[in-house]
């Protein structure tokens, strides 16, 4: 991929401490190997929000796949479908949600960024539901953020790549702040969603609702109280609050608070099958991957995405065999070496 796209894909916020810690924390964890376990009939199937999945890895929502491949999200969906993996399509997808749905044969979820224009937001949710998306993922962790490395690289969307699903929206009003006033509090945060929007979203959408970007047990409990159907523990791949802990560090605390009332998913730094095992051992039902499949997409389009999934799935099966886990249910906290 070109330098411009690389600046967008690879960066995290500010000093990228959280971006790095996602990997470092996973690398610090050790797995407890087990031997001579009966593995006949071993498999990786799971049920999530009423649908069956063959293995616990989904593609995380990411904006602008056409930065990486001319067919953008359609190419990604073809790769995911070939490997029967779930894919979460971003609000900032560079291909219309309906077109992605027409071409995909695997399950799609829709990731929502609530827009300041709530009527437009509602129509977007309805478009996704009408197109057959299976769940709504509300991302809550980046009302504002600043990626300095991307800024320094002078990243710009190339001509022809845009958030096409947001076309037709009333543009946000220009920031109202006078030069001596706060641009953040009086401009960028205008129209950002709050807890009040959760009940509203549930009232306008027939789809199961998940919150993505929860890192605090208190927020997780509030989300359960608000009636969400699932939580994605995530720091946005280090692109939201810098100096936040690794997602894998927040996961067990949130799992303890939520106590199985809704399924937990997790993302941030998942690169190997052993990482998937670690996340499941600490309370996740499934994981999402972001940058790995974006790299696959850039290298080889649908085949690249499928290949990344294939590698990860195979590694997961090997890690399960070597930790004596014949099914996902066998992946308990005892798998983590202490
Ligand atoms: C280039 C890029 C674009 C992203 N765009 C979105 C987005 O539009 N919506 C969203 O909820 N998360 C977005 N994310 C966050 C991912 O969904 C996910 O949380 C993160 O990439 C997981 O970490 P990983 O890349 O280490 O696997 C984006 C991440 C990257 C790297």
């Amino acid at each position: 991929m070109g330098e411009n796209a690389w600046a967008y894909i690879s960066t995290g916020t500010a000093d990228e401490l959280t971006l790095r810690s996602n990997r470092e924390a996973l690398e610090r964890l050790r797995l407890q190997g087990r031997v001579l376990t009966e593995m006949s009939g071993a498999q990786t199937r799971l049920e999530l929000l009423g649908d069956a999945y063959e293995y616990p890895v989904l593609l995380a929502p990411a904006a602008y796949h056409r930065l990486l491949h001319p067919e953008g999200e359609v190419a990604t969906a073809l790769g995911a479908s070939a490997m029967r993996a779930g894919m979460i399509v971003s609000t900032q997808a560079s291909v219309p949600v309906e077109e992605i749905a027409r071409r995909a044969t695997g399950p799609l979820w829709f990731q929502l960024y609530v827009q300041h224009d709530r009527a437009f937001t509602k129509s977007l949710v309805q478009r996704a539901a009408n197109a057959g998306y299976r769940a709504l993922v509300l991302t809550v962790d980046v009302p504002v953020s600043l990626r300095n490395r991307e800024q320094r690289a002078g990243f710009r969307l190339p001509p022809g790549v845009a958030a096409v699903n947001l076309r037709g929206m009333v543009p946000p009003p220009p920031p109202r702040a006078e030069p001596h006033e706060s641009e953040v509090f009086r401009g960028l945060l205008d129209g950002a969603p709050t807890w009040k929007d959760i009940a509203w979203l549930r009232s306008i959408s027939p789809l199961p609702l998940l919150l993505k970007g929860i890192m605090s047990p208190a927020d997780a409990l509030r989300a359960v109280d608000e009636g969400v159907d699932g939580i994605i523990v995530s720091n946005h791949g280090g692109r939201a609050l810098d100096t936040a802990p690794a997602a894998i560090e927040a996961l067990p605390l949130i799992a303890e608070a939520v106590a199985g009332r809704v399924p937990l998913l997790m993302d941030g730094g998942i690169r190997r099958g052993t990482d998937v095992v670690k996340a499941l051992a600490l309370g996740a039902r499934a994981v999402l991957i972001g940058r790995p499949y974006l790299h696959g997409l850039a290298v080889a389009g649908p085949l690249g995405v499928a290949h990344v999934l294939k590698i990860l799935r195979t590694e997961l099966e090997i890690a399960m065999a070597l930790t004596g886990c014949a099914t996902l249910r066998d992946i308990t906290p005892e798998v983590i070496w202490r």
Side-chain angles (χ1 to χ4, degrees):
M1 80 181 74
E3 271 177 46
N4 187 53
W6 180 250
Y8 180 66
I9 303 299
S10 63
T11 39
T13 6
D15 296 317
E16 305 186 324
L17 298 171
T18 298
L19 174 68
R20 282 200 292 280
S21 76
N22 277 344
R23 280 303 305 147
E24 287 164 1
L26 277 163
E27 285 171 11
R28 271 198 303 275
L29 291 171
R30 300 278 179 263
L31 290 176
Q32 176 67 68
R34 298 297 301 273
V35 299
L36 298 176
T37 314
E38 176 64 55
M39 292 294 286
S40 59
Q43 42 99 349
T44 57
R45 283 194 285 274
L46 72 153
E47 203 196 279
L48 206 49
L49 307 171
D51 287 330
Y53 292 82
E54 292 195 21
Y55 53 104
V57 179
L58 291 89
L59 302 189
Y64 309 124
H65 290 192
R66 293 193 61 234
L67 268 177
L68 305 172
H69 188 274
E71 286 205 75
E73 285 77 3
V74 165
T76 311
L78 292 176
S81 296
M83 284 299 295
R84 301 198 184 167
M87 168 178 173
I88 310 177
V89 172
S90 168
T91 286
Q92 293 176 333
S94 50
V95 174
V97 289
E98 292 84 0
E99 191 178 333
I100 304 165
R102 259 197 309 279
R103 304 286 298 280
T105 54
L108 298 176
W109 300 1
F110 181 67
Q111 177 265 325
L112 180 70
Y113 282 129
V114 167
Q115 304 297 313
H116 74 285
D117 179 346
R118 294 298 196 270
F120 185 90
T121 304
K122 182 176 172 184
S123 72
L124 192 56
V125 168
Q126 284 166 346
R127 279 175 60 191
N130 291 341
Y133 286 70
R134 308 286 301 155
L136 189 62
V137 173
L138 175 67
T139 298
V140 291
D141 57 2
V142 280
V144 281
S145 89
L146 199 55
R147 293 189 291 272
N148 295 139
R149 187 153 58 88
E150 177 188 308
Q151 230 179 5
R152 286 182 209 118
F155 169 74
R156 291 217 183 292
L157 277 179
V161 180
V164 294
N165 293 289
L166 296 178
R167 283 199 179 132
M169 180 172 70
V170 179
R176 289 175 289 129
E178 299 293 327
H180 65 279
E181 289 178 324
S182 161
E183 240 181 285
V184 174
F185 295 143
R186 298 219 43 213
L188 296 174
L189 279 177
D190 277 354
T194 69
W195 286 108
K196 284 190 221 121
D197 288 284
I198 306 298
W200 171 70
L201 269 177
R202 291 182 62 220
S203 77
I204 61 159
S205 159
L207 302 175
L209 176 66
L210 297 95
L211 297 196
K212 173 174 181 281
I214 298 285
M215 286 290 286
S216 117
D219 282 346
L221 285 176
R222 175 80 189 258
V224 172
D225 285 345
E226 298 283 345
V228 304
D229 302 286
I231 290 174
I232 304 178
V233 177
S234 170
N235 53 37
H236 215 105
R239 292 159 83 89
L241 170 67
D242 196 29
T243 78
I248 195 74
E249 292 175 307
L251 176 64
L253 307 175
I254 292 175
E256 191 183 351
V258 167
R261 279 172 289 175
V262 299
L264 298 182
L265 288 81
M266 173 268 179
D267 73 20
I270 300 286
R271 300 292 179 266
R272 289 279 189 185
T274 43
D275 297 329
V276 183
V277 168
K278 289 169 183 177
L280 268 55
L282 294 176
R285 184 83 67 82
V287 299
L288 320 181
I289 53 169
R291 294 178 186 86
Y293 84 82
L294 296 173
H295 297 177
L297 177 65
V299 170
L303 265 178
V305 171
H307 193 61
V308 166
L309 284 162
K310 175 81 180 162
I311 292 170
L312 203 52
R313 181 183 182 168
T314 304
E315 287 184 0
L316 166 63
E317 291 169 358
I318 292 169
M320 288 172 66
L322 298 181
T323 53
C325 298
T327 70
L328 301 185
R329 281 185 194 288
D330 299 322
I331 305 177
T332 62
E334 277 77 73
V335 172
I336 306 285
W337 182 84
R338 289 173 208 275

